[in-house]
Amino acid sequence: MSRILQKKVCLLGAFAVGKTSLVSRFVNGIFSDKYLSTMGVKIDRKSLQLDDVTVNMMLWDVHGEESVKKVPAAYMRGSAAYLLVIDGTRSATVDTARELHARMRAEVGDVPFVVLLNKVDLKDEWELSDADVATIREEGWECLMTSACTGENVEAAFIRLADQMIA
Amino acid sequence: MPEPLLNYLAEMQIYRLSPAWAKLDEACHCIVECGGDWSNFDDDIAVHRGAVVEESFIYLCGQSFDEPFLLPQMEFKENRFTNVHFFRAESIAWLLFLDVTEQTLMQQLQQQNANELSLLRDQQRRVLDRYVGGAVTERSIEGRLTFDAAGERRNISTMFIDLRSFTIFNQKYDPQHVMDVLNQYMNKMLPPILDEFGLVDKITGDGAMTVFGVLNEQEDSALLAFRAALRIQREISTMNDLRRQQGDYIMDVGIGIGSGEAVLGILGAHDRRAFTVIGPHVNLAARLEGEAKGGEILADETTFLTVQHLIDSHECRSIELKGIGASQVYNLRYSK
Ligand SMILES: Nc1nc2c(ncn2[C@@H]2O[C@H](COP(=O)(O)OP(=O)(O)O)[C@@H](O)[C@H]2O)c(=O)[nH]1
Ligand SMILES: [Mg+2]
């Protein structure tokens, strides 16, 4: 029997890691290198068909977490899953992801999440070393190297998340 | 306040927020009653009497209605921002949508500036990180940082810039406005620095420390710094003329430049690393900036000797600088 599910999915991370670009690549298939800082939450929708299950994703593209401007807990509540986005060229964004992860755990509990190490097209300029990535993986974080620019692993990331939500 | 005025104000405010509302049933499952222009908030929103909440507001899926909530600045359609309120008043559950587009777009401008600046500094640090790379060794001994004696030594120029009378200004106006104006000034000061390959080392609320001669070694660092300083003073002066005409508050910039040999280093733990320069002229430059009046460019002797052919005139004075001693200070005069 086919099922239709509505799920809220949050994208979380420091500012300018590529959250908005990943959504834009996934939903509209486009990328722009112009940076426009997100205010509040940008809402988008996309459906994924996984065998006989349709997952309607409500994508909450949240503004970047900053020390002076934290992501409000109200945005987090009700999430069925989330993507933690890290910018490989800025290793400080790993700390931000850790912080957000801890807060998500406190707000919504043990829901599925996938960690995106974004801007893999700029791998030459990465500040994050292979050892850093290994450390992150050792924490049990499922990581995917993505690029909103080339589209690498973008759809795969959302599919992976959807898979976990219906499991 | 007299009631008619209060009503007038309230109506004006309410009008600006163009509210749309829905009264929900006890279980928050259905819409009992609703009003306002819902199409303002979302094109394919279907809010009407008897509609199921979950279907009318699909993006609220997963949302719990047990507690009141406020979802600020929701962007359902491009460049349109909504505050979504849910609360109970006298045991009736209400959903209220308010249009906050205007305020949000104004904040966005500032946010954008702040983020871009932060990215820029990050990028500069990375460039330098790679550039100096192994040449500079940093050692932390019991929390004290020392540099390897073989660390990278360079002839560089350090420039301190500072907005005068910012403090008074800061106390007189609301923070939002201060940020706005500060951004305007910063936007005039940063491009000249970057164009001369200056590295922005520190940004304090109302000033900055910048270093020249690290990214560009082709030209004398003092020339680079002076050109940046000159352009900053000229651009600020032009902007101030305009602000004065408009009756706006103005600020002047004091600049101090010192040149000489310094050790370049990277300080801090790996994710908070920032580059830094250490050398006698750095302190001197900071002191010069402190001495500079609004509109002035004060330089040390090394800098002066390099740039003297570029200036109209100068004034040399000897001042006693605490901890440094008597120093020759050059006030570099320039045409506006
Ligand atoms: N090269 C490259 N740039 C990216 C990638 N993702 C985002 N960007 C750029 O990084 C900047 C910030 O992206 P944005 O999506 O607005 O980040 P957000 O603040 O996390 O939403 C923009 O200039 C994007 O063009 C990527 O995968 N590769
Ligand atoms: Mg964004």
Side-chain angles (χ1 to χ4, degrees), chain A residues 58-70:
Chain A
M58 292 301 141
L59 302 171
W60 288 49
D61 168 21
V62 178
H63 71 77
E65 164 95 352
E66 287 170 76
S67 50
V68 291
K69 193 181 169 194
K70 301 267 183 207

Side-chain angles (χ1 to χ4, degrees), chain A residues 12-26:
Chain A
L12 299 166
F15 73 89
V17 294
K19 298 177 294 297
T20 303
S21 304
L22 287 161
V23 171
S24 162
R25 164 63 72 187
F26 177 54

Side-chain angles (χ1 to χ4, degrees), chain A residues 7-9 73-81 107-108, chain B residues 61-64:
Chain A
K7 297 287 183 188
K8 168 174 172 179
V9 173
Y75 288 162
M76 298 179 163
R77 293 183 190 131
S79 304
E107 290 300 334
V108 300
Chain B
C61 71
Q63 184 68 50
S64 157

Side-chain angles (χ1 to χ4, degrees), chain A:
Chain A
M1 217 195 77
S2 65
R3 283 190 291 158
I4 299 176
L5 301 174
Q6 313 267 10
K7 297 287 183 188
K8 168 174 172 179
V9 173
C10 269
L11 281 98
L12 299 166
F15 73 89
V17 294
K19 298 177 294 297
T20 303
S21 304
L22 287 161
V23 171
S24 162
R25 164 63 72 187
F26 177 54
V27 176
N28 307 311
I30 49 174
F31 174 78
S32 154
D33 57 12
K34 199 174 165 295
Y35 170 52
L36 189 68
S37 79
T38 305
M39 302 301 290
V41 192
K42 208 168 171 330
I43 302 290
D44 259 297
R45 288 193 254 169
K46 169 108 175 175
S47 295
L48 277 180
Q49 187 68 41
L50 301 171
D51 296 328
D52 57 349
V53 186
T54 308
V55 184
N56 289 326
M57 291 195 186
M58 292 301 141
L59 302 171
W60 288 49
D61 168 21
V62 178
H63 71 77
E65 164 95 352
E66 287 170 76
S67 50
V68 291
K69 193 181 169 194
K70 301 267 183 207
V71 171
Y75 288 162
M76 298 179 163
R77 293 183 190 131
S79 304
Y82 56 99
L83 291 171
L84 279 179
V85 187
I86 288 168
D87 179 347
T89 68
R90 287 148 65 214
S91 55
T93 61
V94 177
D95 294 340
T96 312
R98 286 213 173 87
E99 233 175 275
L100 284 163
H101 176 64
R103 288 181 50 212
M104 269 312 259
R105 275 284 177 273
E107 290 300 334
V108 300
D110 197 12
V111 302
F113 72 100
V114 174
V115 180
L116 305 189
L117 304 172
N118 194 38
K119 307 197 185 177
V120 70
D121 56 297
L122 303 176
K123 194 83 206 300
D124 293 347
E125 294 169 36
W126 271 32
E127 200 173 25
L128 224 59
S129 66
D130 291 344
D132 293 331
V133 175
T135 312
I136 296 170
R137 289 212 158 103
E138 274 160 26
E139 290 170 41
W141 284 13
E142 178 176 345
C143 298
L144 281 172
M145 306 256 192
T146 57
S147 167
C149 179
T150 65
E152 182 174 340
N153 269 336
V154 175
E155 198 167 50
F158 284 94
I159 290 176
R160 183 74 195 105
L161 206 59
D163 264 334
Q164 294 189 38
M165 281 192 285
I166 62 176

